[in-house]
Amino acid sequence: MFHVKLPGHDAIARQADEHLVTHKVKLPRKVVEHPFRQVAKRVLMALLVLAATALIVYADRAGYNDNSDKSVDFLDAWYYATVTLSTTGYGDITPVSDGARLTNIFVITPLRVLFLIILVGTTLEVLTERTREEWRLNRWRSTLRDHTVVIGFGTKGRSAIQTVCATGLKKEQVVVVDPSAKAIEAATADGYAGIAGDATRSEVLKRAEVHKARKIIIATQRDDTAVLVTLTARQLNRGAKIVAAVREEENAPLLKQSGADAVITSASAAGRLLGLSVLSPAAGMVMEDLIQQGSGLDIVERPVIKAEVGRKPRETDDLVVSVLRGHRVLGYDDPAVGTLELTDRLITIVRATPGTQVAPDARPLPPMPSQ
């Protein structure tokens, strides 16, 4: 194993150590009642049972005998209820009449059992929940295959997940890794499995089952972190498709050398979209709609069907932008394309869910600047 050290890595490691990240896998769960509220309810139920027992004993105090003063007052009734329900049974206060003994048999004893069920049930529920969570985690690990790992649950990471899920990827097939515990809580609340930890460490990525992943999306806040994560992920999984985002365009070649299949320069892409929107608001609106998967117009990749073999890209029913032939991406008008082959793949522009989504031509254009 080799280590790559870039400026700022020590600070990142120290920050992760300061937060004491546990690298624990958190699976999405249904919304349940807060644990403190559950415990409070159980304590309240136990107190009600205790109070009911004390009142029953006090109402029948004539049938009880106290070894100290031969009479049972209200405090003695509470004392007797406490030691009886807790099965302590000191024997200093005892039922002596037939009515009091019958009450103990048919009323106090069931209340004692109910009291124990409430107290012991809380412990059993905690143990059962832990066992159930461990079983869910083991089952999740054994069934997770060809999933998508997203490093970073910030704005870029969220948008990337929304895009891939819009194409049909299930939330159960997405694992989020982020150093922030709050970000992981937000991810699990949205239905994704999450791991709080530093993704530059191989043990964290192993918990995300990176070695079994099909796609890895790296959307960290820092470029040097993205390089380290890419190196670690590529070392663990040689065949996964890794896509990374960087802020500075000069760092893109370094990401590709580290093992990324595609690198997106977020700052430059946003700047180009801003410039295009200034020159042509309509063109900027169309481009924004194209990169927003699942609404209006979408850019999709699909294989060539048999009916299209031998045709030119312009002769297909869809609007073909590019042709993927082997490892080359050719324009639709590239003479090297010639006619389509069965092994080709097409990059096309299609309309997504017409009638339910708002297309660019249905939205009002912003006013053009005055000349």
Side-chain angles (χ1 to χ4, degrees), residues 177-233:
V177 181
D178 195 283
S180 171
K182 291 184 178 180
I184 295 303
E185 290 179 1
T188 55
D190 290 341
Y192 311 111
I195 300 173
D198 185 359
T200 61
R201 300 180 178 180
S202 58
E203 63 268 20
V204 177
L205 294 182
K206 288 179 181 178
R207 289 183 176 271
E209 304 294 323
V210 165
H211 56 285
K212 297 188 294 185
R214 176 180 293 182
K215 300 175 183 178
I216 302 173
I217 300 174
I218 300 175
T220 58
Q221 299 296 328
R222 297 168 58 100
D223 290 0
D224 52 357
T225 306
V227 173
L228 289 170
V229 173
T230 303
L231 284 169
T232 308

Coordinates of all heavy atoms in Angstrom, one line a residue, residues 177-233:
V177 N -20.9 8.7 2.0 CA -19.8 8.8 3.0 C -19.5 10.3 3.1 O -19.3 11.0 2.2 CB -18.6 8.1 2.5 CG1 -17.4 8.2 3.5 CG2 -18.9 6.6 2.2
D178 N -19.5 10.8 4.4 CA -19.2 12.2 4.7 C -18.6 12.3 6.1 O -19.0 11.5 7.0 CB -20.5 13.0 4.6 CG -20.3 14.5 4.5 OD1 -19.9 15.1 5.5 OD2 -20.4 15.0 3.4
P179 N -17.7 13.2 6.3 CA -17.1 13.3 7.6 C -18.0 14.0 8.6 O -17.8 13.9 9.8 CB -15.9 14.2 7.4 CG -16.2 15.0 6.1 CD -17.0 14.0 5.3
S180 N -19.1 14.6 8.2 CA -20.0 15.3 9.1 C -21.1 14.3 9.5 O -21.8 13.7 8.7 CB -20.6 16.5 8.4 OG -21.6 17.0 9.2
A181 N -21.3 14.2 10.8 CA -22.4 13.3 11.3 C -23.7 13.9 11.0 O -24.7 13.1 10.7 CB -22.2 13.2 12.9
K182 N -23.9 15.2 11.0 CA -25.1 15.8 10.6 C -25.5 15.5 9.2 O -26.7 15.3 8.8 CB -25.1 17.3 10.8 CG -25.0 17.7 12.3 CD -25.0 19.2 12.5 CE -25.0 19.6 14.0 NZ -25.0 21.1 14.2
A183 N -24.5 15.6 8.3 CA -24.8 15.2 6.9 C -25.2 13.8 6.7 O -26.1 13.5 5.9 CB -23.5 15.5 6.0
I184 N -24.7 12.9 7.5 CA -25.1 11.5 7.4 C -26.5 11.3 8.0 O -27.3 10.5 7.4 CB -24.1 10.6 8.2 CG1 -22.7 10.7 7.5 CG2 -24.6 9.2 8.3 CD1 -22.7 10.2 6.1
E185 N -26.8 12.1 9.0 CA -28.2 12.0 9.5 C -29.2 12.5 8.5 O -30.3 11.9 8.3 CB -28.3 12.9 10.8 CG -27.6 12.3 12.0 CD -27.7 13.2 13.2 OE1 -28.4 14.2 13.1 OE2 -27.1 12.8 14.3
A186 N -28.8 13.5 7.7 CA -29.7 14.0 6.7 C -29.8 13.0 5.5 O -30.9 12.8 5.0 CB -29.1 15.3 6.1
A187 N -28.7 12.3 5.2 CA -28.7 11.3 4.2 C -29.6 10.1 4.6 O -30.4 9.6 3.8 CB -27.3 10.8 3.9
T188 N -29.5 9.6 5.8 CA -30.3 8.5 6.3 C -31.8 8.9 6.3 O -32.7 8.1 6.1 CB -29.8 8.0 7.6 OG1 -29.8 9.1 8.6 CG2 -28.5 7.4 7.5
A189 N -32.0 10.2 6.7 CA -33.4 10.7 6.7 C -34.0 10.7 5.3 O -35.2 10.5 5.2 CB -33.5 12.1 7.3
D190 N -33.2 10.9 4.3 CA -33.7 10.8 2.9 C -33.8 9.4 2.4 O -34.2 9.2 1.2 CB -32.7 11.6 2.0 CG -32.8 13.1 2.3 OD1 -33.8 13.6 2.9 OD2 -31.9 13.9 1.9
G191 N -33.3 8.4 3.1 CA -33.5 7.0 2.7 C -32.2 6.4 2.2 O -32.3 5.3 1.6
Y192 N -31.1 7.0 2.4 CA -29.8 6.4 2.0 C -29.0 5.9 3.1 O -29.1 6.4 4.2 CB -29.0 7.5 1.2 CG -29.7 8.3 0.2 CD1 -30.0 9.6 0.4 CD2 -30.1 7.7 -1.0 CE1 -30.7 10.4 -0.6 CE2 -30.8 8.4 -1.9 CZ -31.1 9.8 -1.7 OH -31.8 10.5 -2.7
A193 N -28.2 4.8 2.9 CA -27.3 4.4 3.9 C -26.1 5.3 4.0 O -25.7 5.9 3.0 CB -26.8 3.0 3.6
G194 N -25.6 5.6 5.2 CA -24.6 6.6 5.4 C -23.5 6.1 6.3 O -23.7 5.3 7.2
I195 N -22.3 6.6 6.1 CA -21.1 6.3 6.9 C -20.4 7.6 7.2 O -20.0 8.3 6.3 CB -20.1 5.3 6.2 CG1 -20.9 4.0 5.9 CG2 -18.9 5.1 7.1 CD1 -20.0 3.1 5.1
A196 N -20.3 7.9 8.5 CA -19.6 9.1 8.9 C -18.1 8.8 9.1 O -17.7 8.0 9.9 CB -20.2 9.7 10.2
G197 N -17.3 9.4 8.3 CA -15.9 9.1 8.4 C -15.1 9.8 7.3 O -15.7 10.4 6.3
D198 N -13.8 9.8 7.4 CA -12.9 10.4 6.4 C -12.7 9.4 5.2 O -12.1 8.3 5.4 CB -11.5 10.7 7.1 CG -10.6 11.4 6.2 OD1 -10.9 11.7 5.0 OD2 -9.4 11.7 6.6
A199 N -13.1 9.8 4.1 CA -13.1 8.8 2.9 C -11.7 8.6 2.4 O -11.5 7.8 1.5 CB -14.0 9.4 1.8
T200 N -10.7 9.4 2.8 CA -9.4 9.2 2.4 C -8.8 7.9 3.0 O -7.7 7.5 2.7 CB -8.5 10.4 2.7 OG1 -8.4 10.6 4.1 CG2 -9.0 11.6 2.0
R201 N -9.4 7.4 4.0 CA -9.0 6.2 4.7 C -9.7 4.9 4.1 O -10.9 4.9 4.0 CB -9.3 6.3 6.2 CG -8.6 7.5 6.9 CD -8.9 7.5 8.4 NE -8.2 8.7 9.0 CZ -8.3 8.9 10.3 NH1 -9.1 8.2 11.1 NH2 -7.6 10.0 10.8
S202 N -8.9 3.9 3.9 CA -9.4 2.8 3.2 C -10.4 2.0 4.1 O -11.4 1.4 3.5 CB -8.2 1.8 2.8 OG -7.5 1.4 4.0
E203 N -10.3 2.0 5.4 CA -11.2 1.3 6.2 C -12.6 1.9 6.2 O -13.6 1.2 6.3 CB -10.7 1.2 7.7 CG -10.6 2.6 8.4 CD -9.2 3.1 8.3 OE1 -8.5 2.7 7.3 OE2 -8.8 4.0 9.1
V204 N -12.7 3.2 6.0 CA -14.0 3.9 5.8 C -14.6 3.4 4.5 O -15.8 3.1 4.5 CB -13.8 5.4 5.9 CG1 -15.2 6.1 5.7 CG2 -13.3 5.8 7.2
L205 N -13.9 3.4 3.4 CA -14.4 3.0 2.1 C -14.8 1.6 2.1 O -15.7 1.1 1.4 CB -13.5 3.4 1.0 CG -13.2 4.9 0.8 CD1 -12.2 5.0 -0.4 CD2 -14.5 5.6 0.5
K206 N -14.1 0.8 2.9 CA -14.4 -0.7 2.9 C -15.7 -0.9 3.6 O -16.5 -1.8 3.2 CB -13.3 -1.4 3.7 CG -12.0 -1.6 2.9 CD -11.0 -2.3 3.7 CE -9.7 -2.5 2.9 NZ -8.6 -3.2 3.7
R207 N -16.0 0.0 4.6 CA -17.4 -0.1 5.3 C -18.5 0.2 4.3 O -19.6 -0.2 4.4 CB -17.4 0.8 6.5 CG -16.6 0.3 7.7 CD -16.7 1.2 8.9 NE -16.0 0.6 10.0 CZ -16.5 -0.2 10.9 NH1 -17.7 -0.6 10.8 NH2 -15.7 -0.6 11.9
A208 N -18.2 1.1 3.3 CA -19.1 1.4 2.3 C -19.2 0.4 1.2 O -19.9 0.6 0.2 CB -18.8 2.8 1.7
E209 N -18.4 -0.7 1.3 CA -18.4 -1.8 0.3 C -18.0 -1.2 -1.0 O -18.5 -1.6 -2.1 CB -19.7 -2.5 0.2 CG -20.3 -3.0 1.5 CD -19.4 -4.2 2.1 OE1 -19.0 -5.0 1.2 OE2 -19.2 -4.3 3.3
V210 N -17.0 -0.4 -1.0 CA -16.5 0.2 -2.3 C -16.0 -0.8 -3.2 O -16.1 -0.7 -4.5 CB -15.4 1.3 -2.0 CG1 -14.6 1.7 -3.2 CG2 -16.0 2.5 -1.4
H211 N -15.4 -1.9 -2.7 CA -14.8 -2.9 -3.6 C -15.9 -3.7 -4.4 O -15.6 -4.3 -5.3 CB -14.0 -3.9 -2.7 CG -14.8 -4.5 -1.6 ND1 -15.1 -3.9 -0.5 CD2 -15.3 -5.8 -1.5 CE1 -15.8 -4.7 0.3 NE2 -16.0 -5.8 -0.3
K212 N -17.2 -3.5 -4.0 CA -18.3 -4.1 -4.7 C -19.1 -3.1 -5.5 O -20.1 -3.5 -6.1 CB -19.2 -4.9 -3.7 CG -18.5 -6.1 -3.0 CD -19.4 -6.9 -2.2 CE -20.0 -6.2 -1.1 NZ -20.9 -7.0 -0.2
A213 N -18.7 -1.9 -5.4 CA -19.5 -0.8 -6.1 C -19.3 -0.8 -7.6 O -18.2 -1.2 -8.1 CB -19.1 0.6 -5.5
R214 N -20.3 -0.3 -8.3 CA -20.2 -0.1 -9.7 C -19.8 1.3 -10.1 O -19.1 1.5 -11.1 CB -21.5 -0.5 -10.4 CG -21.5 -0.3 -11.9 CD -22.8 -0.6 -12.6 NE -23.0 -2.1 -12.5 CZ -24.1 -2.7 -13.0 NH1 -25.0 -2.0 -13.6 NH2 -24.2 -4.0 -12.9
K215 N -20.3 2.3 -9.3 CA -20.0 3.7 -9.6 C -19.6 4.4 -8.3 O -20.2 4.1 -7.2 CB -21.3 4.3 -10.2 CG -21.7 3.7 -11.5 CD -23.0 4.3 -12.0 CE -23.6 3.7 -13.2 NZ -24.9 4.2 -13.7
I216 N -18.7 5.3 -8.4 CA -18.2 6.1 -7.3 C -18.3 7.6 -7.7 O -17.6 7.9 -8.7 CB -16.8 5.7 -6.8 CG1 -16.8 4.2 -6.5 CG2 -16.4 6.5 -5.7 CD1 -15.4 3.7 -6.2
I217 N -19.0 8.3 -6.9 CA -19.1 9.8 -7.2 C -18.4 10.5 -6.1 O -18.7 10.3 -4.9 CB -20.6 10.2 -7.2 CG1 -21.3 9.5 -8.4 CG2 -20.6 11.8 -7.4 CD1 -22.8 9.8 -8.4
I218 N -17.4 11.3 -6.4 CA -16.6 12.0 -5.5 C -16.9 13.5 -5.5 O -16.6 14.2 -6.5 CB -15.1 11.8 -5.7 CG1 -14.8 10.3 -5.6 CG2 -14.2 12.6 -4.7 CD1 -13.3 9.9 -6.0
A219 N -17.5 14.0 -4.5 CA -18.0 15.4 -4.5 C -17.5 16.0 -3.2 O -18.4 16.5 -2.4 CB -19.5 15.5 -4.6
T220 N -16.2 16.0 -2.9 CA -15.7 16.6 -1.7 C -15.6 18.1 -1.8 O -15.7 18.7 -2.9 CB -14.3 16.0 -1.4 OG1 -13.5 16.2 -2.5 CG2 -14.5 14.5 -1.2
Q221 N -15.3 18.8 -0.7 CA -15.2 20.2 -0.7 C -13.8 20.7 -1.2 O -13.7 21.8 -1.6 CB -15.5 20.8 0.7 CG -16.9 20.4 1.2 CD -18.0 21.1 0.4 OE1 -17.8 22.2 -0.1 NE2 -19.1 20.5 0.3
R222 N -12.8 19.9 -1.0 CA -11.4 20.3 -1.4 C -10.9 19.4 -2.5 O -11.2 18.2 -2.5 CB -10.5 20.2 -0.2 CG -10.9 21.1 1.0 CD -10.1 20.7 2.2 NE -8.7 20.8 2.0 CZ -7.9 21.8 2.4 NH1 -8.4 22.8 3.0 NH2 -6.6 21.7 2.1
D223 N -10.1 20.0 -3.4 CA -9.5 19.2 -4.5 C -8.5 18.2 -4.0 O -8.4 17.1 -4.6 CB -8.9 20.2 -5.5 CG -9.9 21.0 -6.2 OD1 -11.1 20.8 -6.0 OD2 -9.5 21.9 -7.1
D224 N -7.7 18.6 -3.0 CA -6.7 17.6 -2.6 C -7.3 16.4 -1.9 O -6.8 15.3 -2.0 CB -5.7 18.3 -1.6 CG -6.4 19.1 -0.5 OD1 -7.6 19.1 -0.5 OD2 -5.7 19.6 0.4
T225 N -8.4 16.7 -1.2 CA -9.2 15.5 -0.6 C -9.7 14.6 -1.7 O -9.7 13.4 -1.6 CB -10.3 16.0 0.2 OG1 -9.8 16.9 1.2 CG2 -11.0 14.9 0.9
A226 N -10.2 15.2 -2.8 CA -10.7 14.4 -3.9 C -9.6 13.6 -4.6 O -9.9 12.4 -4.9 CB -11.3 15.4 -5.0
V227 N -8.4 14.1 -4.6 CA -7.3 13.3 -5.2 C -7.0 12.1 -4.3 O -6.9 10.9 -4.8 CB -6.0 14.2 -5.3 CG1 -4.8 13.3 -5.7 CG2 -6.3 15.3 -6.4
L228 N -7.0 12.3 -3.0 CA -6.7 11.2 -2.0 C -7.8 10.2 -2.1 O -7.5 9.0 -2.0 CB -6.5 11.8 -0.6 CG -5.2 12.6 -0.4 CD1 -5.3 13.3 0.9 CD2 -4.0 11.7 -0.5
V229 N -9.0 10.6 -2.1 CA -10.2 9.7 -2.2 C -10.1 8.9 -3.4 O -10.4 7.7 -3.4 CB -11.5 10.5 -2.0 CG1 -12.7 9.5 -2.2 CG2 -11.6 11.1 -0.6
T230 N -9.8 9.5 -4.5 CA -9.8 8.8 -5.8 C -8.7 7.8 -5.8 O -8.9 6.6 -6.3 CB -9.5 9.8 -7.0 OG1 -10.5 10.8 -7.0 CG2 -9.5 9.1 -8.3
L231 N -7.5 8.1 -5.3 CA -6.4 7.1 -5.2 C -6.8 5.9 -4.3 O -6.6 4.8 -4.7 CB -5.2 7.8 -4.6 CG -4.4 8.7 -5.5 CD1 -3.3 9.5 -4.7 CD2 -3.7 7.9 -6.6
T232 N -7.5 6.2 -3.2 CA -7.9 5.1 -2.3 C -9.0 4.3 -2.9 O -8.9 3.0 -2.9 CB -8.4 5.7 -1.0 OG1 -7.4 6.6 -0.4 CG2 -8.6 4.6 0.0
A233 N -10.0 4.9 -3.5 CA -11.1 4.2 -4.1 C -10.6 3.3 -5.3 O -11.0 2.2 -5.5 CB -12.1 5.1 -4.6

